[in-house]
Amino acid sequence: MATVPRPQTLVVKIGTSSLTQGKSGYLALSTIARLVETLSRLRQQDHRVILVSSGAMGVGCVRLGLSERPRTIAMKQAVAAVGQGRLMRVYDDLFSALSQPIAQVLLTRSDLEQRSRYVNSYRTFRQLTQLGIIPIVNENDTVAIEELKFGDNDTLSALVASLVGADWLFLLTDVDRLYSADPRHHADAHPIHQVDKLKQLEDLQIVVGDRGSQWGTGGMATKLEAARIATAAGIRMAITEGRHPENIEKILAGEPLGTQFAPHPRPNNARKRWIANSLVPTGRLYLDAGAVQAIRQGGKSLLAAGITQVTGEFQRRDAVQLCDVNGQEVARGIVNYDSQELHQIRGCRSDQIPEVLGYEGADTVVHRDNLALEPEAD
């Protein structure tokens, strides 16, 4: 197997459909064994490897003899707790057979929203990979509440890749690559091998679903969102077949397997990646054309004079979306005023703010250091 010249940071996500045996839900041990062998070889080549693994819920259901996924939050959390322990036991047994140490890392959305916990998470991953350990990551389903869930492990893996500044994100799924539609039902569906810009997919009018299936269309919708996050952070991404994890090594060696996404040439820095991807926006600011141009092309801060409309309720230091008059998001940022204050000062010059509010405030609504552009918009 060809090797890559320099050590790289690799985040690998494997989905439930690849980890389990179809309708039975039992673990696909041969696939997991190949995955473990592949990741261990990559570690032996000095690559820094992080695995994001689904499957806890499915394993828990089988372990408890459930015929369908639970519906209530409490039951989901209990079943995930059972499955997570069993899944980690399998991973530990297989990695230990190859003398490869692993670690379990469970994350919640709030771990990445709060800046101090975000930085601490980064340091933990850095220390683990420096020690030659493979972290195995999953969402902490046993404590996460619905409002603060990542939604799926595709998103989680992209956020982890952005957090650690990965070189590659590999999404292992139940299809060999991205298709323009479900090839089982659309005879004219064609494979997509390379995506240089995500806007190309809009031109292709790709058909994706929003729920999982054996073909993985639900995964495709979330995988495209993962691609948006990863490529905006300057990370290469590939979608390839989970049953053949050895494809990771082939892709690293230059083989055109799966669907590969090129990174954005001008990615945001680490702080702005945190703002763009980890913070959940709680409101929207609509901007006039002059403000949009100043932000996009001039790298300027957002002033109150450029705001035409304010929606949502938020506090100072919350994250908001910055949109043009058509509602198209152009950036995200951390505001220096709450929503009530912005309703009063929108459209005002900075020197008018003290008179309107009755007290001194910041000159900027969103300082440029706290503003992250949408990469496709610049």
Side-chain angles (χ1 to χ4, degrees):
M1 186 72 66
T3 59
V4 182
R6 66 177 181 86
Q8 299 187 71
T9 300
L10 316 174
V11 176
V12 179
K13 181 263 176 179
I14 187 163
T16 302
S17 58
S18 299
L19 287 170
T20 55
Q21 303 178 38
K23 292 181 179 180
S24 73
Y26 288 109
L27 287 173
L29 293 175
S30 60
T31 297
I32 299 174
R34 286 197 296 273
L35 174 67
V36 167
E37 290 174 345
T38 298
L39 299 187
S40 296
R41 281 198 300 270
L42 290 168
R43 268 296 314 131
Q44 291 166 9
Q45 297 168 22
D46 290 329
H47 297 298
R48 297 168 293 276
V49 180
I50 297 171
L51 173 62
V52 178
S53 177
S54 299
M57 184 70 71
V59 172
C61 286
V62 171
R63 190 75 164 173
L64 296 174
L66 302 179
S67 58
E68 60 180 19
R69 292 171 65 91
R71 300 180 185 276
T72 67
I73 293 178
M75 188 64 174
K76 287 179 180 178
Q77 292 174 329
V79 172
V82 172
Q84 186 66 29
R86 175 60 178 162
L87 187 61
M88 284 302 299
R89 169 67 185 274
V90 172
Y91 276 128
D92 192 49
D93 286 346
L94 292 173
F95 275 110
S96 293
L98 298 176
S99 299
Q100 172 58 54
I102 62 171
Q104 178 176 237
V105 178
L106 298 177
L107 294 174
T108 63
R109 186 97 206 194
S110 58
D111 291 325
L112 301 187
E113 277 194 309
Q114 296 182 22
R115 181 64 181 171
S116 60
R117 292 165 71 175
Y118 181 90
V119 172
N120 189 60
S121 297
Y122 165 76
R123 290 171 177 165
T124 298
F125 279 115
R126 182 181 63 183
Q127 187 65 69
L128 287 170
T129 54
Q130 285 178 346
L131 291 171
I133 296 166
I134 295 180
I136 300 181
V137 185
N138 199 357
E139 182 164 11
N140 195 351
D141 291 311
T142 59
V143 299
I145 58 175
E146 203 66 32
E147 294 80 3
L148 288 177
K149 290 179 70 67
F150 292 104
D152 59 86
N153 275 350
D154 292 325
T155 302
L156 173 58
S157 66
L159 291 174
V160 169
S162 176
L163 167 69
V164 302
D167 297 285
W168 277 92
L169 170 61
F170 293 94
L171 302 184
L172 306 184
T173 185
D174 54 0
V175 291
D176 58 346
R177 58 178 54 88
L178 181 65
Y179 287 84
S180 59
D182 186 342
R184 299 181 305 173
H185 304 301
H186 299 270
D188 58 346
H190 57 274
I192 300 169
H193 300 282
Q194 178 72 28
V195 178
D196 293 320
K197 291 184 179 180
L198 287 179
K199 285 191 174 182
Q200 292 176 342
L201 297 179
E202 297 175 9
D203 299 333
L204 292 170
Q205 296 182 326
I206 183 170
V207 178
V208 296
D210 58 0
R211 298 182 64 185
S213 70
Q214 286 186 333
W215 181 63
T217 53
M220 286 306 155
T222 57
K223 283 170 180 54
L224 295 185
E225 174 61 15
R228 183 195 68 78
I229 295 171
T231 56
I235 300 164
R236 294 186 179 276
M237 191 184 102
I239 296 172
T240 188
E241 192 170 9
R243 302 288 182 183
H244 297 284
E246 62 275 8
N247 285 349
I248 295 172
E249 295 169 284
K250 296 177 181 178
I251 292 170
L252 288 173
E255 293 191 31
L257 298 175
T259 300
Q260 300 185 27
F261 296 78
H264 194 276
R266 295 180 302 280
N268 285 321
N269 62 32
R271 178 175 174 79
K272 294 191 176 186
R273 293 201 304 269
W274 169 66
I275 294 171
N277 300 322
S278 297
L279 298 183
V280 178
T282 54
R284 278 190 164 203
L285 306 182
Y286 291 84
L287 316 182
D288 62 28
V292 171
Q293 183 176 17
I295 288 172
R296 280 182 173 173
Q297 300 176 11
K300 303 293 186 180
S301 301
L302 173 63
L303 305 179
I307 301 173
T308 62
Q309 184 181 352
V310 178
T311 62
E313 295 185 7
F314 48 86
Q315 303 299 316
R316 298 182 189 183
R317 310 304 297 168
D318 281 351
V320 298
Q321 295 171 298
L322 309 183
C323 304
D324 62 20
V325 292
N326 298 316
Q328 180 69 38
E329 183 177 350
V330 297
R332 292 190 182 187
I334 299 174
V335 289
N336 292 324
Y337 292 94
D338 64 32
S339 52
Q340 290 187 341
E341 292 170 323
L342 286 179
H343 278 294
Q344 298 178 65
I345 65 174
R346 65 181 177 88
C348 295
R349 299 191 313 271
S350 296
D351 60 5
Q352 295 175 310
I353 292 176
E355 181 180 350
V356 173
L357 294 180
Y359 49 85
E360 292 286 342
D363 291 336
T364 62
V365 173
V366 179
H367 191 274
R368 62 177 178 269
D369 291 343
N370 289 328
L371 190 152
L373 281 174
E374 279 290 301
E376 292 300 322
D378 60 10

